[in-house]
Amino acid sequence: MEERSVDVAVIGSGTAGLNAIGQIRRTGKSFVLINGGEPGTTCARVGCMPAKAMIQVAEDYYRRMQLGKYGVDGYRALTLDGKKVMEHVRDLRDTFVDRVLSNSTDNMPPDRFIQDYARFLEPTLLEVAGQRIRAERVVIATGSRPLVPKAWRAFGKRILTTDDLFELEDLPTSLAVIGLGTIGIELGQNLHRLGVEVTGFDQLTAIAGTQDPEVSASAIDLMGKEFPIHLGEAARIAEASDKLSVTAGEHSVLVDQVLCSIGRVPNVEKLGLENLGVDLDTRGLPDYDPNTMQVGNLPVFLAGDVTNERPILHEAGNEGKIAGYNAAHDQVTAFRRKTPLLINFCSPNICAVGQRWNDLDQTTTAVGQIRMAPVGRALIMNENKGTLRVYADQHSGLVLGAEMIAPKGENLAHLLCWCIEQELTVGQLLRMPFYHPVIEEALQAALYDLYSKVETKNEGPPELTSITHQQLKNV
Ligand SMILES: Cc1cc2nc3c(=O)[nH]c(=O)nc-3n(C[C@H](O)[C@H](O)[C@H](O)COP(=O)(O)OP(=O)(O)OC[C@H]3O[C@@H](n4cnc5c(N)ncnc54)[C@H](O)[C@@H]3O)c2cc1C
């Protein structure tokens, strides 16, 4: 069998793998990129981008319900062509995939980009496509795939995952969404808004990964008003003539199809990780350092969703950069991880920033909050629903984190995330300008509430920063 040597082998040409390659290229080291399965990244093919394309259509269509209030006639007569919706989603999806491919693997020669599944024979020896590759260092960026219980696979194409949802020719008439985490809630709500009869199930008692009890209750309340949600019991599926019956406790529904969104599993089973010579956990993954992405002391690095730790795009990209940088340098460098930021594009957005509720020391944490109902801009948008809660260290006022279900939460969460990165206090945030009337005024109100509960205060009025005559002269 042919054997060749490279400086770095990267397994997986998703977001993490491509970011790793970007770092390796900069150093001029030789590399090979290996991808089994469809190239084009999970994000563009079956993830972020087609999901957001579908959500945009759903939001636009759902917005028609507001039009009667402004005296726009005929909105009730508007209809939606499910086939065209799916075509539109796929068109956009194809554009994104083409863009990824043309910027990455399309121009790579076949000896640099191998399309097959790689397998470790040793920590630095891979077998792929009938050849052996000896790499000084290896990056594993093989991503994850939807988890479907074995028993449910017997229902064939009636069990959908995000890998096949966007391939549907038409929207289903009725659908059970089992698993109401980020993906289930985001897609469930929007399929409902597109006219699909959606019923949601989750064995947990919270949805969309919320932890803060107030936000969690608000999220369940708001989502539950749009489509039925059954929580706290595992759902079972059974054949019911030409339908599927989905049952959880006393709740049962007949549906055409089920969207199974109960989680994702790392793509490791084809990799031969047992040949790394280190312990593997129950998911088949080795232990690694999240600041270097290195596996033990091996010249092997993990990146992206394969770790299942921070399964979101910008983290996959960052981990790819960390792993790629370290794989291309002799010295392994530890990098600071970014402030956690989670955004669920359901409406209102559900977001979490910084420290999560379950990790906070409740005895030293102050919480400020605002309900969206009276927020002027939210009222104008007719989206004045939700709750925003911000956490700070009670003594210093240092902002620690936040959780929210709020209109334009994606923007509020970013603002807060950047402030936490800058290690700002609630007093410093209040000194920032807030325009009127904007949704950020909701954040301002939550910050005032928080400010009243922390010990460290600004001098004088909290919003104002004093300046000396000398400083004025220097301005
Ligand atoms: C429906 C959905 C919506 C999402 N929405 C968002 C969002 O709005 N925002 C956000 O930040 N994140 C979102 N995500 C998550 C985001 O898409 C992922 O975090 C990101 O795409 C992961 O990138 P990756 O490089 O780790 O994996 P991938 O892009 O999956 O790349 C892994 C590659 O490795 C290949 N591979 C697997 N095994 C092998 C092997 N043995 N040998 C060689 N190659 C192999 C795979 O075929 C694949 O091409 C969403 C995900 C889904 C599913």
Side-chain angles (χ1 to χ4, degrees):
M1 192 178 278
E2 184 198 340
E3 181 171 321
R4 65 187 173 105
S5 297
V6 291
D7 292 324
V8 187
V10 175
I11 313 175
S13 68
T15 303
L18 292 175
N19 273 276
I21 291 291
Q23 293 300 314
I24 298 157
R25 274 187 196 277
R26 286 183 182 192
T27 63
K29 298 256 164 142
S30 64
F31 68 83
V32 62
L33 176 61
I34 305 164
N35 191 73
E38 285 284 309
T41 76
T42 288
C43 166
R45 282 191 316 105
V46 290
C48 327
M49 302 314 266
K52 265 82 260 177
M54 186 178 257
I55 288 170
Q56 189 61 53
V57 179
E59 278 185 4
D60 290 348
Y61 185 54
Y62 192 71
R63 194 74 201 161
R64 79 194 183 288
M65 307 302 282
Q66 311 293 334
L67 298 180
K69 287 194 184 132
Y70 320 140
V72 178
D73 265 349
Y75 70 97
R76 281 185 205 281
L78 292 176
T79 57
L80 190 84
D81 181 335
K83 286 188 179 156
K84 290 229 167 97
V85 172
M86 296 314 293
E87 269 172 32
H88 168 76
V89 168
R90 277 193 292 277
D91 277 355
L92 273 178
R93 186 266 322 264
D94 292 347
T95 305
F96 293 121
V97 170
D98 286 350
R99 202 175 285 173
V100 168
L101 293 176
S102 64
N103 286 329
S104 58
T105 48
D106 272 359
N107 302 317
M108 279 190 196
D111 62 327
R112 274 206 156 175
F113 180 49
I114 303 173
Q115 298 206 50
D116 206 344
Y117 288 93
R119 190 178 152 70
F120 281 92
L121 300 177
E122 298 167 18
T124 55
L125 184 63
L126 300 171
E127 190 171 284
V128 58
Q131 55 179 306
R132 286 186 175 179
I133 293 175
R134 177 69 69 181
E136 276 184 30
R137 301 189 186 94
V138 183
V139 175
I140 304 170
T142 50
S144 63
R145 63 181 185 285
L147 169 66
V148 181
K150 210 171 169 189
W152 293 2
R153 291 198 204 122
F155 300 112
K157 290 193 169 167
R158 287 173 298 168
I159 303 291
L160 297 168
T161 68
T162 47
D163 277 359
D164 29 49
L165 176 71
F166 306 112
E167 290 302 325
L168 290 180
E169 282 300 305
D170 201 348
L171 290 167
T173 308
S174 56
L175 183 82
V177 178
I178 304 183
L180 298 174
T182 294
I183 290 175
I185 278 292
E186 205 174 272
L187 291 172
Q189 183 196 35
N190 284 287
L191 285 162
H192 156 77
R193 289 182 166 196
L194 290 168
V196 180
E197 262 175 51
V198 174
T199 310
F201 295 88
D202 201 303
Q203 63 186 8
L204 298 180
T205 49
I207 59 171
T210 49
Q211 293 185 5
D212 185 309
E214 300 281 333
V215 177
S216 185
S218 180
I220 293 169
D221 176 50
L222 289 174
M223 293 299 141
K225 279 182 178 142
E226 278 201 39
F227 62 102
I229 285 176
H230 305 300
L231 299 178
E233 274 169 306
R236 287 172 289 117
I237 308 176
E239 201 77 56
S241 58
D242 63 335
K243 300 256 183 196
L244 291 176
S245 137
V246 180
T247 308
E250 292 171 358
H251 306 284
S252 200
V253 65
L254 287 180
V255 290
D256 294 327
Q257 283 173 301
V258 168
L259 175 65
C260 176
S261 47
I262 58 174
R264 296 177 66 87
V265 281
N267 291 325
V268 288
E269 62 296 319
K270 291 187 178 135
L271 276 172
L273 293 185
E274 60 283 2
N275 295 327
L276 291 180
V278 291
D279 288 342
L280 303 179
D281 65 18
T282 49
R283 300 165 303 166
L285 280 171
D287 205 12
Y288 72 99
D289 178 335
N291 297 103
T292 62
M293 302 313 289
Q294 188 177 16
V295 174
N297 290 321
L298 295 177
V300 176
F301 302 84
L302 290 175
D305 280 16
V306 68
T307 69
N308 226 358
E309 289 292 329
R310 297 182 176 205
I312 43 178
L313 185 101
H314 69 280
E315 293 288 359
N318 289 334
E319 290 178 357
K321 287 190 176 84
I322 296 174
Y325 183 93
N326 280 330
H329 288 83
D330 294 333
Q331 194 86 26
V332 172
T333 307
F335 292 92
R336 185 177 163 270
R337 298 302 302 260
K338 294 194 197 294
T339 300
L341 172 62
L342 294 168
I343 297 172
N344 184 315
F345 293 88
C346 59
S347 177
N349 299 157
I350 297 176
C351 311
V353 187
Q355 279 189 44
R356 300 303 308 274
W357 178 262
N358 291 347
D359 301 327
L360 291 168
D361 178 349
Q362 303 290 343
T363 60
T364 58
T365 303
V367 181
Q369 77 168 32
I370 171 87
R371 303 234 182 251
M372 287 293 154
V375 176
R377 186 59 185 273
L379 200 58
I380 288 167
M381 297 189 300
N382 199 22
E383 291 180 24
N384 55 327
K385 298 179 185 88
T387 301
L388 163 56
R389 305 240 298 166
V390 189
Y391 320 129
D393 177 73
Q394 196 167 7
H395 173 65
S396 66
L398 191 72
V399 180
L400 301 174
E403 199 171 291
M404 68 188 82
I405 173 163
K408 294 190 190 282
E410 59 173 300
N411 305 112
L412 300 176
H414 268 91
L415 275 185
L416 276 168
C417 188
W418 294 353
C419 294
I420 295 170
E421 276 278 325
Q422 299 297 313
E423 299 181 11
L424 298 181
T425 64
V426 59
Q428 286 170 315
L429 260 62
L430 280 177
R431 284 181 167 164
M432 302 287 180
F434 286 86
Y435 209 80
H436 173 75
V438 292
I439 205 72
E440 284 73 10
E441 286 174 313
L443 175 57
Q444 188 184 32
L447 292 174
Y448 272 123
D449 186 33
L450 186 58
Y451 185 75
S452 71
K453 295 170 185 169
V454 299
E455 289 158 25
T456 307
K457 308 284 187 193
N458 293 342
E459 255 178 53
E463 311 78 2
L464 304 182
T465 312
S466 60
I467 186 166
T468 62
H469 286 293
Q470 189 56 43
Q471 284 167 325
L472 270 174
K473 273 189 209 151
N474 296 338
V475 169

